[in-house]
Amino acid sequence: MADTISLDNHPELRFRTEEEFLQHIIKTARALDWDLIYHTRRSDKSTPGYPDLHMIRDRRSVFVEVKKIGGQLSAEQYEWLEALPYTGAEAYLWDPGDFGIIGEVLA
């Protein structure tokens, strides 16, 4: 019998690209009633380092930078993620390894 790989133990295998993972986050957010979702489609045309997602629900403002497994933050991305919580916003860096906590954070 061939060995099988559990996706529960290897969330990085669920998503082939960063974009697939990002779309999973957006679908999860919509399922949890996050209606105001902004995604920068062309990061080369926006302010350097601005997070990939900005979501608002009730009195919560959540920013998310999405990376593939092993992806590195640029200096500008780090600066944004460090500064945003001082404004009262939540800021997260998520990669597929965070698959299990996304629903909890957005609940």
Side-chain angles (χ1 to χ4, degrees), residues 5 9-10 12 22 27 32 36-37 45 50 57 63 69-70 72 83 85 90 92 94:
I5 297 174
N9 296 331
H10 297 280
E12 68 277 9
L22 181 124
K27 286 178 188 174
L32 294 169
L36 296 175
I37 300 172
K45 303 284 185 191
Y50 192 80
R57 184 185 72 189
F63 290 85
I69 295 283
Q72 300 293 313
E90 299 171 48
Y92 299 95
W94 284 339

Side-chain angles (χ1 to χ4, degrees), residues 32 34 57 60 102-107:
L32 294 169
W34 290 80
R57 184 185 72 189
R60 289 181 69 190
I102 294 167
E104 295 173 26
V105 171
L106 297 178

